[in-house]
């Protein structure tokens, strides 16, 4: 299996994730699309690690996962906190910074 | 005629400085001590007079005193110095200005004694003296113009002195605006002179112009310059078509009318013509226009004066008429004759105005002659001085008015101007008729005011000494000044060209014979206004349209209003609404609106929503990425 | 054989990704994401990164997604979202297509790429992690602790003074 296929798959997944972030209003779904983007990047990391016979790529993925976990925890906590005041998780319902 | 002897004399600055300081002091000190204002101002005027007399005596035949204050500007070849010059012409003018001015200052102390803004009045009066002296002492056209403008300003300030009355203030404004139109012509002349001859200093200019070997080369440009100068003169010296401000100027206090509108400011035009004689002598076509306009002005003003009932208005139109006479002389090349009439007119007209002021004061501010009468017994000194001045202005020998008027008519008859040759007879006849009319309306005013029975409601009384003394002095001067005509002509020879006008001292018999126009006018007026009292009214009703025409000054103000003022106002209105409001304001507001709108447009990016920012981020990233790949 | 399997897995990955983006209810999106994560793990396995494949399932699918589903349940989200405007869909789609279009030549240039013989097992990763990347490892643990504290503080209910 040529490795370029993996790269192509990674590119497509990233684009899908980006489109999802731009189009969905629900904050949790936005978060999930971000996870898709991170996963796509993870895939390309591992692919290049395989290409260059260097384990550093996979170590990188490890750390990405750690960060994703931390981000999930804090992000969801924020979401809950915001929900308590505006009773909605839609991103369009809070535009305090509008000029 | 250029004199060779130029002497440095710093006292010239003192003549000018005295009234200037007097003006400031009169205002500041007068505010606190009301009574002091008049005396300070009069003192300043008298000091100036004393210095002038001293310098006059020092002036020998043909010499010029000069004092340069500083070099004002120097641009390339063109340089202007702030210089005072005192030659024979200036000496004579200064003597009249400071002398008559001082008398009027003293008179005003009494006349304005009850006014609450005395300090302002005397401050302005002194300021006027300052400007007028600047005018006659100026060594170049620019200093003259400063004085010219200054007297215009003071005229405005003094005419509208009682500014709380809106019509008086409007009269002041009218004087200033009409003057300004003349000044535009004057300025044009200065521009042309500086452009074509490179200098505006009188001596340098005279040298340059008379240095042309072939004068015909510069005649066209000199004619244009002369025209422009004369336009300035019509404004300042109230000739047709710019004389309309002078009757309205009677709104000011009577001493103002005496000083400014009889003795000094209005003669500035004549002085200017005399000063620029070397220009006018080479422009016969312009001179012919001067003579024609002067003759018309004298005649028309005289006819209007016949039908006026306000004593000051009669004197105002009389002034316009007499100014016409002065320009008749100047326009015929007899400049010294014009100056002679300036001097005699200053004496008798100032006396007449001050006398009218005395009458108005005595009758408690009554100015309509139909409510006067019989004042001869109640105000004897005023009556006598007024009578003497009337005889003078009518031209009864041996009073001064006869000699100057006679000299004018003689100069007119001998006018060599080829452009006037065909009309000269008509003009002479017109001038003679005007002389008769002058005698008529002046005697009419005497009869209506002093003779007959008193028709008013006040208790007229003679005026105090401070008012009657100047009257007597002026009347005396008006009587004897004529005999010095020959001395004057000789004195002014060094400055002004003679052009064939000489002074003839006649014996008393032939002089009286030549005064026949005066006797004619006076006789008719006396008969009509003392014996046949109903006759004027009957004639008025017979020729009602002509009578109305004369009484309403040929409706000139209304014509001007319709033809000039209203279109100007309309245009100003149009410019205001269509240009200023729509275009200019539109552009300014439009710019603001554009900024506003673009701000709104950019503001729409800041929605406050994360999603929008995400879209922008992503699209921006793609664009940068693309640019990076492309380049 | 392997190839066919790979293509099926890739199709599942893309399909579940699209599912996350397009499904109405957040719960369905979450479940779709779980599937996506499983297919990603499979991809890792295809690349001989066994440790990562396992970690992906345990950590990502097992812990993070559980957390997400907890939150969805807690907030009782219903999926009453309005559809995005066509304008927005157009822009987003255009941007995504643009990105892919630009990347395509680069990707095509790399064809064909064959990999080495790296085996991503625990030992190899462990050795690298504890020697070359020890500092990052320690920082990562610190990060997790901070995240825990932050999450607890943020999600805490504010106690009212009155009883």
């Amino acid at each position: 299996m040529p490795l370029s296929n993996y790269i192509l798959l990674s590119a497509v997944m990233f684009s899908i994730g980006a489109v999802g972030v731009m189009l969905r209003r629900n904050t949790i779904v936005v978060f999930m699309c971000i996870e898709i983007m991170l996963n796509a990047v993870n895939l390309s990391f591992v692919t290049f690690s395989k290409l260059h016979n260097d384990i550093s790529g996979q170590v990188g993925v490890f750390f990405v996962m750690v960060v994703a976990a931390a981000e999930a925890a804090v992000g969801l906590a924020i979401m809950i906190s915001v929900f308590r005041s505006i009773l909605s998780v839609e991103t369009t319902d809070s535009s305090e910074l509008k000029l | 005629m250029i004199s060779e002897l130029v002497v440095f004399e710093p006292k010239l600055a003192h003549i000018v400085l005295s009234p200037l300081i007097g003006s400031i002091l009169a205002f500041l000190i007068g505010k606190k001590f009301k009574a002091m204002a008049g005396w300070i101002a009069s003192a300043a005027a008298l000091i100036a007079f004393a210095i002038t007399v001293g310098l006059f005596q020092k002036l020998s035949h043909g010499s010029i005193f000069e004092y340069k204050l500083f070099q004002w500007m120097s641009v390339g070849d063109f340089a202007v110095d702030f210089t005072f010059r005192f030659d024979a012409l200036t000496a004579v003018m200064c003597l009249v200005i400071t002398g008559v001015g001082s008398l009027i200052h003293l008179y005003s102390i009494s006349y304005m004694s009850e006014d609450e803004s005395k300090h302002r009045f005397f401050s302005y009066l002194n300021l006027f003296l300052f400007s007028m002296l600047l005018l006659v002492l100026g060594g170049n056209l620019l200093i003259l113009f400063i004085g010219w403008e200054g007297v215009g300003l003071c005229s405005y300030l003094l005419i509208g002195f009682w500014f709380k009355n809106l019509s008086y203030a409007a009269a002041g404004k009218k004087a200033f605006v009409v003057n300004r139109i003349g000044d535009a012509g004057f300025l044009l002349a200065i521009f042309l002179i500086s452009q074509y001859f490179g200098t505006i200093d009188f001596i340098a200019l005279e040298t340059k112009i008379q240095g042309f070997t072939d004068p015909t080369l510069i005649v066209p440009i000199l004619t244009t310059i002369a025209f422009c100068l004369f336009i300035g003169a019509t404004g300042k010296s109230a000739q047709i078509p710019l004389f309309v401000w002078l009757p309205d100027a009677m709104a000011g206090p009577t001493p103002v009318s005496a000083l400014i509108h009889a003795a000094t400011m209005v003669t500035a035009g004549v002085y200017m013509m005399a000063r620029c004689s070397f220009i006018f002598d080479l422009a016969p076509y312009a001179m012919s226009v001067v003579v024609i306009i002067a003759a018309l002005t004298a005649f028309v003003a005289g006819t209007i004066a016949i039908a006026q009932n306000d004593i000051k208005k009669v004197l105002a139109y009389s002034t316009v008429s007499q100014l016409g006479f002065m320009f008749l002389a100047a326009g015929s090349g007899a400049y010294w004759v014009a100056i002679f009439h300036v001097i005699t007119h200053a004496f008798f007209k100032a006396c007449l105005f001050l006398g009218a002021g005395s009458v108005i004061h005595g009758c408690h501010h009554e100015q309509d002659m139909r409510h006067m009468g019989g004042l001869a017994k109640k105000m004897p000194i005023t009556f006598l001085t007024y009578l003497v001045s009337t005889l003078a202005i009518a031209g009864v020998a041996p009073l001064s008015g006869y000699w100057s008027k006679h000299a004018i008519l003689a100069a007119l008859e001998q006018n060599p101007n080829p452009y006037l040759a065909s009309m000269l007879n008509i003009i002479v006849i017109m001038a003679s008729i005007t002389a008769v009319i002058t005698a008529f309306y002046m005697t009419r005013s005497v009869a209506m005011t002093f003779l007959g029975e008193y028709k008013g409601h006040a208790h007229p009384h003679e005026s105090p000494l401070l008012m009657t003394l100047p009257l007597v002095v002026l009347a005396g001067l008006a009587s004897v000044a004529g005999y010095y005509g020959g001395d004057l002509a000789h004195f002014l020879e060094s400055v002004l060209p003679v052009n064939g006008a000489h002074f003839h001292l006649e014996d008393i018999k032939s002089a009286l014979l030549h005064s026949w126009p005066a006797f004619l006018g006076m006789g008719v007026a006396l008969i009509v206004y003392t014996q046949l009292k109903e006759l004027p009214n009957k004639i008025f009703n017979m020729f009602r349209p002509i009578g109305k025409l004369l009484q309403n000054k040929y409706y000139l103000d209304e014509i001007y209003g319709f033809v000039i003022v209203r279109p100007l106002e309309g245009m100003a209105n149009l410019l205001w609404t269509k240009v200023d409001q729509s275009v200019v304001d539109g552009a300014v507001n439009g710019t603001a609106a554009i900024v506003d709108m673009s701000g709104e447009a950019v503001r729409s990016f800041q929605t406050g929503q994360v999603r929008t920012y995400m879209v922008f981020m992503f699209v921006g990233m793609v664009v940068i990425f693309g640019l990076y790949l492309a380049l | 054989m392997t190839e066919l399997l790979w293509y099926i897995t890739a199709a599942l990955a893309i399909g579940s990704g699209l599912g996350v983006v397009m499904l109405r209810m957040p719960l369905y999106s979450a479940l779709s994401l779980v599937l996506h994560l499983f297919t990603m793990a499979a991809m890792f396995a295809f690349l001989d990164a066994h440790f990562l494949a396992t970690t992906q399932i345990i950590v990502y699918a097992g812990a993070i997604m559980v957390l997400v589903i907890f939150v969805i349940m807690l907030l009782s989200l219903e999926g009453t979202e309005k559809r995005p405007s066509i304008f927005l869909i157009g822009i987003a789609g255009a941007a995504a297509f643009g990105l892919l279009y630009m990347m395509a030549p680069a990707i095509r240039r790399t064809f064909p790429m064959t990999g080495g013989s790296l085996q991503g097992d625990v030992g190899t990763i462990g050795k690298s992690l504890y020697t070359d990347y020890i500092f990052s490892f320690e920082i990562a643990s610190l990060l997790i602790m901070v995240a825990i504290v932050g999450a607890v503080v943020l999600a805490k209910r504010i106690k009212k003074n009155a009883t």
Side-chain angles (χ1 to χ4, degrees), chain B residues 186-299:
Chain B
F186 194 85
L187 269 173
L188 260 176
I190 299 183
F191 294 155
L192 283 170
I193 291 178
S194 68
Q195 164 102 344
Y196 279 93
F197 298 106
T199 172
I200 52 174
D201 183 284
F202 288 122
I203 292 186
L205 194 60
E206 197 176 347
T207 322
K208 206 168 204 151
I209 289 183
Q210 288 179 346
F212 273 86
T213 44
D214 184 15
T216 53
L217 283 173
I218 51 173
V219 165
I221 187 64
L222 281 180
T223 311
T224 320
I225 293 175
F227 263 120
C228 294
L229 284 173
F230 185 60
I231 293 176
T234 56
K236 191 65 79 189
S237 299
Q239 298 297 293
I240 289 176
L242 295 173
F243 70 93
V244 291
W245 63 272
L246 192 53
D248 282 44
M250 296 300 116
T254 312
V256 170
S257 308
L259 181 60
I260 299 184
H261 307 124
T264 40
M265 183 178 101
V266 291
T267 57
V270 184
Y271 165 77
M272 184 266 294
M273 256 190 94
R275 205 21 109 201
C276 299
S277 57
F278 49 90
I279 296 180
F280 283 96
D281 271 344
L282 287 169
Y285 187 66
M287 293 282 253
S288 66
V289 173
V290 171
V291 168
I292 295 173
I293 290 186
L296 275 172
T297 308
F299 184 73

Side-chain angles (χ1 to χ4, degrees), chain B residues 228-457:
Chain B
C228 294
L229 284 173
F230 185 60
I231 293 176
T234 56
K236 191 65 79 189
S237 299
Q239 298 297 293
I240 289 176
L242 295 173
F243 70 93
V244 291
W245 63 272
L246 192 53
D248 282 44
M250 296 300 116
T254 312
V256 170
S257 308
L259 181 60
I260 299 184
H261 307 124
T264 40
M265 183 178 101
V266 291
T267 57
V270 184
Y271 165 77
M272 184 266 294
M273 256 190 94
R275 205 21 109 201
C276 299
S277 57
F278 49 90
I279 296 180
F280 283 96
D281 271 344
L282 287 169
Y285 187 66
M287 293 282 253
S288 66
V289 173
V290 171
V291 168
I292 295 173
I293 290 186
L296 275 172
T297 308
F299 184 73
V300 165
T303 54
I304 299 178
I306 300 177
Q308 298 301 313
N309 289 317
D310 181 337
I311 188 170
K312 282 180 75 172
K313 287 264 184 349
V314 173
L315 293 175
Y317 284 106
S318 166
T319 305
V320 177
S321 184
Q322 294 303 306
L323 285 167
F325 271 103
M326 291 178 216
F327 278 106
L328 272 178
S332 306
Y335 301 102
W336 79 266
V337 175
I339 299 294
F340 187 30
H341 200 59
V342 166
I343 301 173
T344 58
H345 177 262
F347 293 147
F348 55 67
K349 195 43 81 55
C351 185
L352 285 169
F353 263 113
L354 294 184
S358 176
V359 165
I360 294 172
H361 196 77
C363 292
H364 292 285
H365 305 289
E366 174 63 69
Q367 289 185 222
D368 194 324
M369 291 192 293
R370 294 173 291 194
H371 300 148
M372 300 180 197
L375 292 176
K377 295 189 203 65
K378 303 206 170 72
M379 309 172 72
I381 304 180
T382 308
F383 169 60
L384 278 170
T385 52
Y386 197 91
L387 184 63
V388 168
S389 302
T390 306
L391 290 172
I393 194 176
V396 173
L399 300 174
S400 58
Y402 165 74
W403 299 106
S404 55
K405 224 178 258 196
H406 194 68
I408 292 176
L409 287 172
L412 190 61
E413 280 164 13
Q414 291 163 14
N415 191 331
N417 197 329
Y419 294 100
L420 285 174
S422 50
M423 304 180 260
L424 198 59
N425 289 327
I426 306 175
I427 294 178
V428 172
I429 293 174
M430 228 202 253
S432 309
I433 296 179
T434 311
V436 176
I437 296 178
T438 307
F440 177 79
Y441 64 69
M442 284 314 299
T443 318
R444 168 178 176 264
S445 77
V446 170
M448 283 176 78
T449 311
F450 292 103
L451 305 176
E453 294 297 320
Y454 182 58
K455 298 186 199 65
H457 301 288

Side-chain angles (χ1 to χ4, degrees), chain A residues 12-31:
Chain A
V12 170
M13 285 324 303
F14 188 85
S15 313
I16 292 176
V19 166
V21 168
M22 287 192 275
L23 291 182
R24 292 300 298 253
R25 267 186 240 233
N26 196 318
T27 318
I28 298 198
V29 176
V30 167
F31 169 71

Side-chain angles (χ1 to χ4, degrees), chain B residues 611 615 618-619 621-623 625-626 629, chain C residues 84 88 91-92 95-96 98-99 102-103:
Chain B
R611 198 217 253 181
V615 173
F618 192 67
V619 171
M621 182 200 81
V622 170
V623 168
F625 203 57
L629 282 180
Chain C
L88 201 58
I91 291 187
L99 185 66
M102 285 186 288
M103 306 240 296

Side-chain angles (χ1 to χ4, degrees), chain B residues 17-27 37 40-41 44 122-123 126-127:
Chain B
L17 219 56
S18 173
L20 182 63
I21 297 178
S23 162
I24 299 172
L25 282 178
F27 189 81
I40 294 174
F122 282 105
S123 172
N126 257 13
L127 195 68

Side-chain angles (χ1 to χ4, degrees), chain B residues 153-197:
Chain B
L153 171 71
C154 294
S155 173
Y156 161 77
L157 289 171
L158 284 163
I159 294 174
F161 181 69
W162 293 309
F163 54 82
K164 298 211 176 83
N165 182 323
L166 281 176
S167 65
Y168 292 172
K173 187 172 67 173
K174 179 173 175 181
F176 195 76
V177 171
V178 176
N179 248 232
R180 218 64 188 103
I181 301 175
D183 293 348
F186 194 85
L187 269 173
L188 260 176
I190 299 183
F191 294 155
L192 283 170
I193 291 178
S194 68
Q195 164 102 344
Y196 279 93
F197 298 106

